[in-house]
Amino acid sequence: MAAGEQRPRVYLVDGTSNIFRAFYALRGGFTTREGVPTNAVYGFTTMLRKLIKDEEPEYLGVCFDRGEPTFRHEEFADYKANRPEPPDDLVVQFPLVRELTEAYRIPVLDKEGWEADDLIGTLARQAAEAGFHVIIVASDKDLFQLVNDHVTIMNPHKGNLMMDAAKVEEVFGVRPDQVVDVLALMGDASDNIPGVPGIGEKGAKQLLKEYGDLETLLARAGEVKRKSYRESLQANAEQARFSRKLATVRLDAPVEFDPDTLRMEEPDTGRLREIFKRLEFNSLLGELRPDSSTSGARYRAVTTEKELRAFIKEMEAAGRVSVDLETTGVDPMRAEILGIALAVKAGEAVYVPVRHQKGAEKQMAPERVLELLRPVLEGDAMAKVGQNCKYEWVMFRQAGIQMQPVQFDTMVAAYLINPSRSHKLDDLAGEYLDYKMIPYTDLAGKGAKQVTLDQVELDRVVEYAGEDADVALRLADLLDEKLEGAGLKALFQKLEMPLLPILARMEHTGVRIDVEHLASMSTQMEKDLARIEKAIHKEAGSEFNINSPKQLAAVLFDKLGLPPIRKTKTGYSTDEDTLTQLAQQHDLPAEILNYRSLSKLKSTYVDALPALVHPATGRIHTTFNQTVAATGRLSSSDPNLQNIPIRTPLGKEVRRAFVPGERGWVLLSADYSQIELRIMAHLSEDPALVGAFEAEADVHRDTAARIFDVDPADVTPEQRGVAKTVNFGVLYGQ
């Protein structure tokens, strides 16, 4: 490697193997609105971008397999015969990857009758002879055989790990020149290379360490101590040689190394933008957009009462205003307003600072600004639009203003149009306006050094906040048309937007909890945990840290001799599935599960909830998410109040801590009776489902009776739970 460092570097990417790796590494949520799968393309693209960014290659090429049979198929008809055809949702991505590679202006190399490995091997040999150092970007062990003083493997799936000859021997266990002999002995199931029967990877490496190479081993096969190895080597010597021939990467493919052809060029930005937009790679698309500072928008600060009154007249004339607040935090019940951004015309906005400390020598008092804005914020004549208006609603309510009417929320609209995509304002700006917004971190910094916006120079905040209000205003009209075109306008206007202020009021009102009840539970649970811990140590025969997976594994598998179920990178697994299986053989795993369940309930709810009580309201204020669940359901976060267990006695005790807000009030629980399943019964006209509802039967019990072939009266709660999972799993496409 040291000698190679002085040579110019050429990077050769194994395109085919990297596509497959990307496809299987990224499995969920990568499709366009039209249903085109994009996971392999996205994974390959991010790998390529990281390579270009980190390595800054001067010479780069990507080699691909082709669909036709190769010379290996001519020599061995069963070559790769056991390999299944690639999935359809991968096949459609092959041309997309090639298209993207070409848009980056990276040479694409393939040859009929030859595999990518052979092209890489040949080009690597020629480049090394021409005075270059070759970096092969791949994770396939077959290519280890190519490594030498002037050829290195870079594994993009392990943080661009560089593997020279020493590293190959460390990782794979043999020298690069011995790799093909290992493959000859052990064979390759994926390529259907036969190898030597009975000799696996471990045995192959042991034999080569002892005998050096395949021919020496075959010549001295009679000396091999292990009988099964000795006899198999003697009987299959020619098969071993043939396997070696199939596994050898050829260095004489019909390609010519030309550094000028592989020299890196600037990507075709226009073509990349079109592809990223088509594939809905919004984050990648955003990086290609021009800087927002060149957009020509006009944003200004309003710092006097005269200026604000003048803008209020503009608002009243327009009849609609986009509102965006800059605050000291993300929790609207605890944050303070730093300033208010307002926009009534595309490309223009004002920002009214009220609590800024840098560059704001002149600003009005918060109370005076809110008093001047109250008539337009609370007046029915002024329509309000914005992004995530629920946050603004709660913030204003905390300040004594009830913002109404909220006419258009861009986040909710985008969610209805496509629930599976990002609904953040900067992503929406990129997707629908082809516009790159100012990142928050550009102003406030990152991590531990991040500051609140009041510590940032005011003129920079004016641009940032004004842009938020302006972009939301521009998106509102565009998304309104898309809602109309998708037939979603009525749903948006009659359900989602009226729901928004209701959820806002619920968040602002909060829910009261009985802190004393939870404190009592915590004390009792602490005693129960101590008792269970003592029982666990007695069962184990010694004390150990129950919360340490490593110590627990040592007790379960070394001391007690229980069979390991699954191995992880750090040792044998002690997860819930493993302990559940082991609990059938020993009492200790069941006690561990009990301990974990109790400990989690205590830390997650019993101890955590009292700490979240707002000091002024005495209540917990969760956030109800209207735009998260792809199924259309609401979700709860910060804290999540939907996941509190209900079927266990302790879970019910936790729920008892939620109490009416005032004396004389009651908590009312109301629910539709299987509304989704009734809709499914209506649409599917399934006789069993329709019959269950017409008979006013318990539909989950009825399904359980059919699944388990028992009388409905004999269905257990556990069986009904399984049936419920089946019913909703079918409904939501599981």
Side-chain angles (χ1 to χ4, degrees):
M1 186 67 182
E5 287 287 358
Q6 317 204 344
R7 296 176 163 219
R9 290 185 168 197
V10 57
Y11 291 76
L12 299 174
V13 178
D14 184 349
T16 302
S17 71
N18 277 298
I19 292 173
F20 274 87
R21 286 294 297 262
F23 176 79
Y24 288 107
L26 304 172
R27 295 311 302 264
F30 288 88
T31 56
T32 66
R33 271 171 282 187
E34 286 72 34
V36 177
T38 59
N39 57 329
V41 194
Y42 185 81
F44 186 89
T45 305
T46 53
M47 178 277 297
L48 206 57
R49 290 173 66 256
K50 179 174 173 56
L51 170 66
I52 294 170
K53 179 183 177 183
D54 293 353
E55 299 296 314
E56 299 180 349
E58 185 177 356
Y59 305 94
L60 174 63
V62 180
C63 299
F64 290 105
D65 290 341
R66 291 172 61 109
E68 305 92 351
T70 68
F71 67 88
R72 290 184 178 85
H73 292 91
E74 295 174 3
E75 296 180 358
F76 183 44
D78 290 334
Y79 180 65
K80 295 189 177 181
N82 294 337
R83 183 175 293 188
E85 290 296 318
D88 291 341
D89 51 350
L90 172 57
V91 172
V92 298
Q93 297 185 66
F94 287 138
L96 296 175
V97 171
R98 181 180 288 260
E99 184 183 5
L100 258 168
T101 305
E102 291 172 347
Y104 273 106
R105 291 201 174 105
I106 298 170
V108 171
L109 307 165
D110 62 15
K111 282 289 180 181
E112 184 176 356
W114 294 81
E115 296 182 52
D117 287 3
D118 302 304
L119 304 185
I120 290 172
T122 302
L123 290 169
R125 175 185 63 79
Q126 295 174 358
E129 291 172 354
F132 288 79
H133 189 85
V134 181
I135 310 293
I136 299 173
V137 184
S139 56
D140 191 345
K141 64 180 182 296
D142 295 3
L143 293 173
F144 289 174
Q145 63 187 276
L146 300 176
V147 173
N148 56 44
D149 289 345
H150 304 308
V151 178
T152 302
I153 296 283
M154 187 177 84
N155 190 335
H157 306 289
K158 292 190 176 180
N160 287 351
L161 172 68
M162 290 291 188
M163 299 180 64
D164 58 9
K167 194 67 177 179
V168 167
E169 187 167 6
E170 176 190 332
V171 171
F172 195 61
V174 296
R175 301 186 311 271
D177 62 286
Q178 295 175 305
V179 169
V180 70
D181 289 343
V182 171
L183 300 175
L185 291 169
M186 64 181 278
D188 189 330
S190 64
D191 288 344
N192 202 32
I193 296 176
V196 177
I199 298 180
E201 182 175 342
K202 184 177 179 181
K205 292 175 181 177
Q206 288 176 338
L207 289 168
L208 289 170
K209 284 181 179 179
E210 186 173 352
Y211 293 94
D213 59 68
L214 180 66
E215 284 303 326
T216 302
L217 172 63
L218 294 176
R220 298 171 57 188
E223 302 174 16
V224 174
K225 296 178 182 178
R226 186 166 173 172
K227 181 181 179 182
S228 61
Y229 286 1
R230 182 173 66 250
E231 292 178 350
S232 189
L233 286 166
Q234 290 172 331
N236 296 282
E238 288 310 309
Q239 182 166 293
R241 292 186 177 97
F242 182 63
S243 296
R244 189 185 197 281
K245 183 179 180 182
L246 289 175
T248 299
V249 174
R250 292 274 291 271
L251 307 181
D252 59 347
V255 289
E256 294 294 331
F257 171 70
D258 180 0
D260 289 336
T261 301
L262 298 179
R263 191 181 297 275
M264 281 290 292
E265 298 181 43
E266 287 297 315
D268 185 341
T269 305
R271 192 176 177 193
L272 279 177
R273 283 157 63 94
E274 185 276 321
I275 296 171
F276 287 163
K277 196 164 188 176
R278 175 165 29 107
L279 299 182
E280 300 174 13
F281 293 166
N282 295 326
S283 60
L284 301 183
L285 182 61
E287 296 179 11
L288 296 177
R289 294 191 183 98
D291 184 24
S292 56
S293 62
T294 64
S295 66
R298 293 175 307 198
Y299 308 136
R300 60 188 175 89
V302 167
T303 59
T304 68
E305 187 168 320
K306 181 180 178 181
E307 291 174 316
L308 183 55
R309 286 185 183 276
F311 189 75
I312 288 173
K313 287 183 179 180
E314 291 185 41
M315 293 164 61
E316 291 170 339
R320 182 182 69 159
V321 62
S322 174
V323 184
D324 180 81
L325 293 177
E326 298 307 333
T327 64
T328 57
V330 295
D331 183 349
M333 292 298 298
R334 297 173 188 261
E336 288 189 312
I337 297 174
L338 294 177
I340 306 169
L342 304 162
V344 297
K345 188 186 302 182
E348 298 181 13
V350 302
Y351 181 65
V352 188
V354 296
R355 288 189 174 89
H356 279 264
Q357 298 183 35
K358 295 191 73 173
E361 292 77 13
K362 191 177 181 182
Q363 61 184 331
M364 289 177 281
E367 298 77 16
R368 184 55 181 159
V369 170
L370 292 173
E371 205 55 43
L372 289 170
L373 289 174
R374 182 184 297 277
V376 290
L377 291 174
E378 294 189 340
D380 292 338
M382 180 69 65
K384 288 81 184 176
V385 303
Q387 167 82 0
N388 191 17
C389 295
K390 186 156 58 66
Y391 180 86
E392 270 72 22
W393 195 100
V394 177
M395 284 295 308
F396 277 129
R397 192 71 188 88
Q398 277 290 86
I401 288 177
Q402 186 159 315
M403 184 174 71
Q404 62 180 13
V406 179
Q407 181 196 63
F408 201 98
D409 189 309
T410 53
M411 186 168 74
V412 175
Y415 167 77
L416 286 184
I417 293 166
N418 190 349
S420 64
R421 308 301 290 185
S422 168
H423 312 117
K424 295 189 295 185
L425 187 61
D426 51 357
D427 289 332
L428 299 181
E431 182 173 359
Y432 293 108
L433 302 175
D434 197 22
Y435 179 86
K436 183 179 180 180
M437 299 186 68
I438 303 169
Y440 180 81
T441 52
D442 278 8
L443 278 75
K446 298 179 181 179
K449 295 183 178 180
Q450 190 172 81
V451 298
T452 52
L453 290 185
D454 59 320
Q455 302 293 325
V456 178
E457 287 292 338
L458 179 60
D459 57 350
R460 298 185 66 201
V461 181
V462 169
E463 290 295 316
Y464 174 80
E467 183 181 66
D468 282 353
D470 174 29
V471 168
L473 184 70
R474 287 191 271 164
L475 281 170
D477 292 332
L478 191 150
L479 294 176
D480 188 53
E481 292 179 8
K482 291 192 174 292
L483 288 171
E484 185 78 53
L488 297 168
K489 190 75 171 282
L491 175 63
F492 179 75
Q493 290 180 334
K494 296 181 179 180
L495 177 64
E496 296 291 352
M497 291 313 296
L499 177 62
L500 188 149
I502 294 172
L503 296 176
R505 284 197 295 273
M506 290 169 61
E507 291 181 12
H508 184 262
T509 301
V511 59
R512 190 173 295 281
I513 63 170
D514 186 340
V515 175
E516 292 182 0
H517 173 72
L518 291 175
S520 176
M521 281 191 70
S522 180
T523 301
Q524 183 58 49
M525 292 169 87
E526 194 68 45
K527 294 177 181 177
D528 292 341
L529 285 169
R531 175 180 50 78
I532 297 171
E533 183 178 22
K534 188 175 181 181
I536 288 172
H537 290 158
K538 183 178 180 181
E539 195 76 43
S542 63
E543 292 189 2
F544 66 98
N545 183 356
I546 299 172
N547 297 313
S548 166
K550 187 175 182 179
Q551 292 186 34
L552 176 59
V555 170
L556 293 174
F557 308 123
D558 298 338
K559 188 172 184 179
L560 299 182
L562 294 173
I565 306 294
R566 184 170 60 86
K567 192 170 185 178
T568 67
K569 292 180 179 179
T570 57
Y572 290 116
S573 173
T574 58
D575 63 9
E576 184 176 349
D577 288 341
T578 298
L579 294 178
T580 300
Q581 294 182 56
L582 294 176
Q584 301 174 15
Q585 306 177 41
H586 199 281
D587 291 339
L588 183 60
E591 291 283 13
I592 297 291
L593 285 171
N594 189 19
Y595 180 89
R596 285 183 180 177
S597 175
L598 189 62
S599 180
K600 182 178 180 180
L601 193 64
K602 182 176 184 294
S603 62
T604 306
Y605 298 110
V606 176
D607 292 341
L609 288 176
L612 298 175
V613 172
H614 194 284
T617 68
R619 300 183 179 210
I620 287 178
H621 299 269
T622 187
T623 297
F624 294 106
N625 303 302
Q626 197 174 355
T627 61
V628 171
T631 60
R633 290 188 169 208
L634 293 173
S635 67
S636 164
S637 60
D638 303 315
N640 184 348
L641 299 181
Q642 290 180 305
N643 280 357
I644 302 173
I646 192 172
R647 294 185 177 87
T648 64
L650 276 175
K652 291 177 180 178
E653 279 298 304
V654 174
R655 287 174 175 256
R656 277 187 56 204
F658 292 85
V659 295
E662 303 291 344
R663 186 181 298 276
W665 290 11
V666 295
L667 291 180
L668 174 65
S669 175
D671 190 11
Y672 287 107
S673 178
Q674 314 296 350
I675 185 66
E676 299 103 328
L677 292 176
R678 290 177 188 272
I679 293 172
M680 185 165 74
H682 173 76
L683 295 175
S684 68
E685 298 181 349
D686 179 74
L689 203 53
V690 171
F693 283 121
E694 287 180 341
E696 296 187 0
D698 180 333
V699 65
H700 297 315
R701 182 176 292 276
D702 185 78
T703 300
R706 297 173 188 279
I707 291 174
F708 295 104
D709 194 23
V710 297
D711 189 271
D714 297 328
V715 170
T716 66
E718 290 76 17
Q719 289 173 330
R720 184 183 181 278
V722 170
K724 184 175 181 180
T725 300
V726 170
N727 281 336
F728 284 106
V730 170
L731 182 65
Y732 289 118
Q734 199 171 48

